[in-house]
């Protein structure tokens, strides 16, 4: 009888353990161990003359470091980004940022075989809390920052090479598809999940704040430079999201997921302006305060701008009064 009781208790404990395991496996919020992905073996592209590209750099001037990762094994049918086109796009970015006093330093262009499952990724987890009228877009993102998917983390970890300046460097990573899910009002008090196929995605700190690991906060994915307007502005625009640390906004236009207008680099259109002052939403001033910028001293060392104090949200203390306090917008009827 005593042995039977022991057996019954043992079976009960086993059953509870199995149910707990099943519960954890069915819980989307449960911690999932990611399978380690081998690091990509990168080689410099000899056909790109980096020294010539950087021939006009000046010591003592605000500088931004950029590295390019171009997979060598992209699918044969993918032609929206070519090596010459991305170099042309970085050259255009140099021209666009030149009037601001910021120069771009091309560190290298590298190629190597990337795990094909990372050619197409979903950038971040589908958000669960929609933006409403109580706070503006930036305040909402500070409270509910975006989070990388586990697969995207694995992809980035396999691509980015470890370096002391990882968190200060911007990396242009060529992929085939990067999807960005977001919430949009459907009707009434209902929201629906939408996903946009991006041509470039900057993973900006105003959106991700502290949720993106510091060594990878400089990533920018590039997936479409096929049209003249794309290869002229895409890289400069995505660098702007990262370095100016603002969304799609311009002058009196408050930020949204998509804003089409003319005049400014940070909206969808043909504009290339990076305006200054409160009317210009402090874009120039915020650019000059970016932790991604440095000046090269006479002894050859980099004097970096101060780093973020609170993860890099839009209102991070490093920006002081170079911010815009604007009201939230009602997403649905006020009488819902």
């Amino acid at each position: 009888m005593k042995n039977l009781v022991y057996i019954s208790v043992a079976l009960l404990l086993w059953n509870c353990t199995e149910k707990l395991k099943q519960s954890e496996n069915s819980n989307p919020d449960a911690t999932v161990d990611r399978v380690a992905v081998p690091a990509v073996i990168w080689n410099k592209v000899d056909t790109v003359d980096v020294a010539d590209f950087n021939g006009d750099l000046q010591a003592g001037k605000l500088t931004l470091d950029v590295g390019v990762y171009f997979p060598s094994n992209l699918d044969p049918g993918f032609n929206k980004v070519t090596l010459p086109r991305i170099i042309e796009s970085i050259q255009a970015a140099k021209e666009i940022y030149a009037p601001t006093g910021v120069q771009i330093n091309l560190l290298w262009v590298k190629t190597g075989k990337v795990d094909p499952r990372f050619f197409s990724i979903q950038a971040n987890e589908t958000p669960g809390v929609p933006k409403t009228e109580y706070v503006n877009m930036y305040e909402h993102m500070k409270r509910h920052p975006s989070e990388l998917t586990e697969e995207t983390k694995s992809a980035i970890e396999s691509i980015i090479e470890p370096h002391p300046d990882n968190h200060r460097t911007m990396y242009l990573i060529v992929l085939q598809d990067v999807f960005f899910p977001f919430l949009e009002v459907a009707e009434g008090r209902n929201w629906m999940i939408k996903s946009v196929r991006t041509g470039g995605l900057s993973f900006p700190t105003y959106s991700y704040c502290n949720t993106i690991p510091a060594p990878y906060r400089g990533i920018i994915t590039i997936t479409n430079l096929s049209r003249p307007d794309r290869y002229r502005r895409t890289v400069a625009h995505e660098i702007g999201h990262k370095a100016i640390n603002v969304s799609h906004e311009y002058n009196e236009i408050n930020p949204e997921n998509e804003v089409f207008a003319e005049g400014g680099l940070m909206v969808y259109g043909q504009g290339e302006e990076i305006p200054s002052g409160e009317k210009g939403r402090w874009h120039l001033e915020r650019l000059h305060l970016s932790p991604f910028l440095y000046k090269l001293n006479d002894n050859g060392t980099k004097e970096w701008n101060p780093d973020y104090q609170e993860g890099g949200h839009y209102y991070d203390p490093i920006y002081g009064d170079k911010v815009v306090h604007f009201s939230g917008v009602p997403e649905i009827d006020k009488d819902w």
Side-chain angles (χ1 to χ4, degrees):
M1 184 68 176
K2 194 173 183 179
N3 290 338
L4 183 60
V5 171
Y6 286 157
I7 293 172
S8 298
V9 171
L11 287 173
L12 178 62
L13 290 173
W14 177 85
N15 187 47
C16 290
T17 301
E18 288 302 307
K19 286 185 177 180
L20 180 59
K21 287 180 180 179
Q22 293 174 10
S23 175
E24 288 175 346
N25 290 336
S26 63
N27 180 7
D29 295 325
T31 300
V32 178
D33 291 331
R34 283 181 287 124
V35 177
V37 180
V40 177
I41 299 175
W42 295 106
N43 297 291
K44 291 185 179 180
V45 177
D46 295 333
T47 56
V48 178
D49 191 336
V50 173
D52 180 68
F53 187 92
N54 294 329
D56 57 350
L57 294 181
Q58 302 175 32
K61 193 173 181 179
L62 284 171
T63 306
L64 173 71
D65 284 346
V66 174
V68 178
Y69 288 120
F70 196 103
S72 61
N73 58 328
L74 295 168
D75 292 328
F78 177 75
N79 59 8
K80 292 187 179 298
V81 183
T82 63
L83 194 55
R85 184 55 54 81
I86 198 168
I87 298 303
E88 185 178 352
S89 190
I90 301 171
Q91 179 62 49
K94 284 184 63 172
E95 297 170 7
I96 291 171
Y97 282 94
T100 70
V102 173
Q103 57 188 0
I104 294 176
N105 175 41
L106 181 61
L107 296 175
W108 33 255
V109 179
K110 295 181 179 180
T111 188
K113 290 186 177 181
V114 173
D115 189 326
R117 69 187 166 116
F118 297 142
F119 290 165
S120 298
I121 59 174
Q122 177 177 308
N124 55 278
E125 299 289 355
T126 302
V129 181
K131 175 174 63 70
T132 59
E133 72 273 25
Y134 302 117
V135 293
N136 65 42
M137 179 179 182
Y138 295 132
E139 287 284 4
H140 175 77
M141 288 178 168
K142 178 184 175 184
R143 296 177 183 183
H144 304 281
S146 300
E147 296 187 35
L148 300 176
T149 63
E150 292 301 317
E151 186 170 46
T152 296
K153 288 180 184 177
S154 294
I156 295 168
E157 289 171 1
S158 71
I159 291 172
I160 303 298
E161 300 163 290
H163 190 277
D165 292 339
N166 278 144
H167 64 302
R168 301 282 199 169
T169 306
M170 292 197 190
Y171 300 99
L172 303 181
I173 303 171
V174 177
L175 296 177
Q176 294 179 178
D177 278 311
V178 176
F179 296 96
F180 176 78
F182 61 97
L183 296 173
E184 186 175 272
V185 172
E187 59 180 356
R189 56 192 174 121
N190 302 314
W191 274 261
M192 62 181 175
I193 299 171
K194 297 186 72 174
S195 185
V196 62
R197 189 185 195 187
T198 65
L201 188 63
S202 59
F203 299 84
T205 56
Y206 67 76
S207 178
Y208 289 83
C209 302
N210 283 315
T211 67
I212 187 167
Y216 310 125
R217 72 183 189 187
I219 61 169
I220 296 174
T221 54
I222 302 295
T223 51
N224 191 348
L225 298 177
S226 60
R227 302 195 315 253
D229 60 319
R230 284 190 180 278
Y231 65 74
R232 173 66 190 175
R233 294 178 77 252
T234 296
V235 168
H237 177 88
E238 299 307 327
I239 286 176
H241 280 310
K242 192 82 76 177
I244 304 173
N245 201 15
V246 296
S247 184
H248 303 115
E249 58 171 47
Y250 180 63
N251 289 353
E252 73 280 359
I253 302 174
N254 290 328
E256 288 294 340
N257 286 325
E258 294 181 329
V259 176
F260 294 86
E262 293 304 323
L265 177 65
M266 299 316 301
V267 292
Y268 293 142
Q270 302 296 323
E272 299 180 357
E273 181 191 7
I274 300 175
S276 65
E278 185 174 8
K279 181 181 178 181
R281 306 185 78 93
W282 307 110
H283 285 192
L284 180 63
E285 291 80 3
R286 290 175 65 88
L287 169 65
H288 288 170
L289 291 169
S290 173
F292 289 98
L293 301 184
Y294 65 89
K295 291 181 180 179
L296 199 63
N297 292 331
D298 294 336
N299 60 6
T301 59
K302 297 178 179 179
E303 183 181 334
W304 294 96
N305 279 350
D307 203 355
Y308 298 124
Q309 296 179 29
E310 296 180 0
H313 61 81
Y314 174 81
Y315 296 104
D316 193 286
I318 69 165
Y319 296 112
D321 61 353
K322 303 302 185 289
V323 297
V324 178
H325 295 280
F326 55 100
S327 301
V329 178
E331 297 284 339
I332 61 177
D333 190 303
K334 66 178 181 178
D335 296 322
W336 67 273

